[in-house]
Amino acid sequence: MNTVRASSTVDKPTAINLIVGMTLWMSLSVLVVQLFSVDAGFDFAQLYRLLALSGLSATAWHFVFFWLGERAMQSRFIYLSTAALLIPAFAMVWLLMHPPLSYSALQWLAVACGFGGAQFIAFTRNDKIDKTGLGWTLAVNAGIAGIGIVIAQAALPFLSSINLFGALAGTPWVSTHGSGDIVGVIAPGASLWLANMGWIIIAAIALASIVWQVARRTQDDPAKPFGTITDRTHYRAILRNKHTWVMTLLYVMAFGSFIGFTITFPLSLQNFSATYTPSALTYAWIGPLLGVLARPFGGWLADLFGGSKVTLWCAVVLAISSVAAGVITYKATHSPLPEQWFLGYLLVFLVIFIATGAASSAIFRSVSVVLPLEQLPLALRWLTAVASAGAAYIPALWYVNSTTATPAYALFVFALFYVACVALVAYMYLRNKAEFYNP
């Protein structure tokens, strides 16, 4: 039996820390929509730039953690990095309690929030699992942090509409354009306590710290990892392997699209049309939720049918869906009644989220086959570091689209990229003479 020393899931305290970090990062995707709603003085182009800046920061930190090695994927490091998130959380509270807002200050806040998105993968090594189940296992481990995305986009808009903290949240902001939450539409003129988001994250960080401290007192000594920070041969072996680069490109297609669309989707819904402003935060959380749920399902399918076959079909779905989304966007942009295209746009993007979530896990399964298992943690960190750039370049593309009034073109470019990925998977891993067939 092929085995790797890894637990079936990360421990609960580590999982909570991962969720908290992702909640902080994705709170920015909610904040930019609410800043538009309260007419804080920023246009859509400036708001997209904040998202791109935060994504760039997260990507940079991912690379830092990659070079730190497996130490950055262990529970103690994750706990300490979560505690550091108190800095951007308190900064968020202070800024949102002291209007008018400075765009420069918001840019620094976006950079700081990006640190929360840098911790996406954790590994513990206490049990042996069968290699044939790695697709499911890796999907669950990688999907844990995604829960923070759903919490941020579903819970924070609702909680910011309630006066939870009294004077600690400062004077409420007043909605000008109307807003929404998981319950429904928030009409213009409603009060919003935006500083609540920061206070809630501070409370979550405190809870994560308490849970980790309690767990540490009862935890047995962890098993020695199967790779160390001083073993630099793994870095060279990973980066010199052609399959690393193929898998990296495919993971950009999958997770890069997922995380990029996730951070951009709420604002893109709000900016759906110049003449129609939907209640973006009422719907935006559904896509990431489906993507997170699709990760274990994609891993299970990859264990059954092979990772490359699942990846190929997901890429086909992504290509078709991107063309459909581009056509709908073009029609809505030139229609006197853009609202009639909104439901189609929303449904197509839900399909995109499902496909990216499933493909992400299928690719992790393939990586576990084409690379030696002792290199797997660092390899997955590398893939995640590169693919997380999707959180930077996708908002940047929407920024360009918002300034040039060509929102459909980016989606057609994505479709071409997905078609190229279909060809790449078919050539590298689904030919009869392939070095690895359907890994």
Side-chain angles (χ1 to χ4, degrees):
M1 181 176 69
N2 294 314
T3 58
V4 56
R5 291 190 64 80
S7 64
S8 56
T9 57
V10 297
D11 58 89
K12 292 180 181 178
T14 302
I16 293 173
N17 279 269
L18 294 176
I19 292 169
V20 170
M22 190 58 61
T23 301
L24 172 66
W25 185 27
M26 286 299 146
S27 69
L28 194 68
S29 69
V30 174
L31 179 60
V32 292
V33 175
Q34 293 186 321
L35 290 178
F36 170 79
S37 175
V38 300
D39 196 13
F42 309 112
D43 58 31
F44 282 113
Q46 290 176 302
L47 297 176
Y48 280 123
R49 275 161 49 193
L50 290 177
L51 296 178
L53 193 60
S54 181
L56 187 62
S57 170
T59 303
W61 281 110
H62 267 294
F63 279 107
V64 171
F65 290 174
F66 168 72
W67 290 112
L68 286 176
E70 290 190 17
R71 180 180 300 175
M73 289 181 278
Q74 302 304 307
S75 59
R76 181 175 178 82
F77 185 94
I78 293 172
Y79 159 70
L80 293 174
S81 64
T82 302
L85 297 179
L86 285 170
I87 297 173
F90 275 111
M92 181 182 293
V93 170
W94 190 88
L95 281 175
L96 296 176
M97 287 180 61
H98 296 85
L101 299 178
S102 161
Y103 189 69
S104 296
L106 284 175
Q107 288 178 310
W108 283 111
L109 178 63
V111 171
C113 286
F115 184 74
Q119 202 58 273
F120 204 87
I121 300 177
F123 285 91
T124 54
R125 299 164 179 79
N126 299 317
D127 305 311
K128 289 187 176 182
I129 61 170
D130 188 350
K131 182 179 175 180
T132 58
L134 267 177
W136 169 267
T137 302
L138 294 174
V140 172
N141 280 359
I144 288 172
I147 298 173
I149 299 173
V150 181
I151 292 174
Q153 295 188 350
L156 291 184
F158 173 73
L159 295 175
S160 65
S161 65
I162 304 172
N163 186 9
L164 294 174
F165 301 100
L168 290 177
T171 304
W173 297 74
V174 178
S175 174
T176 301
H177 299 289
S179 184
D181 55 31
I182 193 172
V183 177
V185 177
I186 297 177
S191 296
L192 294 175
W193 289 266
L194 300 186
N196 282 3
M197 291 191 290
W199 285 119
I200 291 168
I201 293 169
I202 290 169
I205 294 171
L207 174 63
S209 299
I210 293 171
V211 171
W212 190 85
Q213 291 288 350
V214 171
R216 190 178 66 160
R217 295 190 182 97
T218 60
Q219 194 175 49
D220 295 331
D221 291 335
K224 183 179 179 180
F226 51 76
T228 66
I229 189 165
T230 57
D231 187 0
R232 297 295 170 177
T233 58
H234 287 330
Y235 291 91
R236 293 192 293 270
I238 290 170
L239 297 179
R240 290 176 180 176
N241 191 323
K242 67 178 180 181
H243 295 289
T244 300
W245 297 98
V246 174
M247 290 297 167
T248 298
L249 184 61
L250 295 177
Y251 203 57
V252 168
M253 173 202 75
F255 179 72
S257 297
F258 171 78
I259 200 66
F261 287 135
T262 293
I263 198 170
T264 309
F265 194 49
L267 191 59
S268 72
L269 288 179
Q270 193 74 32
N271 190 30
F272 178 69
S273 169
T275 59
Y276 173 66
T277 303
S279 177
L281 296 178
T282 303
Y283 312 101
W285 59 276
I286 302 175
L289 173 63
L290 294 177
V292 170
L293 294 177
R295 284 201 77 132
F297 180 66
W300 175 70
L301 288 177
D303 287 332
L304 285 179
F305 303 109
S308 294
K309 288 184 178 180
V310 175
T311 301
L312 182 139
W313 284 110
C314 287
V316 171
V317 171
L318 286 172
I320 296 172
S321 300
S322 294
V323 171
V327 171
I328 292 173
T329 302
Y330 182 84
K331 294 285 189 181
T333 303
H334 297 85
S335 173
L337 296 172
E339 58 269 23
Q340 66 183 355
W341 298 98
F342 177 73
L343 179 60
Y345 181 85
L346 177 64
L347 292 177
V348 168
F349 260 96
L350 297 186
V351 173
I352 289 175
F353 277 110
I354 293 172
T356 55
S360 296
S361 295
I363 293 165
F364 269 18
R365 173 67 174 82
S366 297
V367 173
S368 71
V369 176
V370 302
L371 295 179
L373 288 181
E374 65 270 14
Q375 299 174 9
L376 187 60
L378 279 178
L380 297 184
R381 169 66 80 182
W382 167 261
L383 263 64
T384 305
V386 177
S388 63
Y393 66 74
I394 290 181
L397 285 174
W398 254 255
Y399 158 71
V400 173
N401 292 336
S402 67
T403 56
T404 60
T406 56
Y409 293 170
L411 291 165
F412 294 135
V413 172
F414 282 125
L416 292 175
F417 172 56
Y418 298 143
V419 169
C421 289
V422 170
L424 181 63
V425 174
Y427 178 78
M428 289 295 299
Y429 302 116
L430 295 177
R431 290 184 300 129
N432 290 331
K433 296 182 180 181
E435 181 181 357
F436 295 96
Y437 181 78
N438 191 26

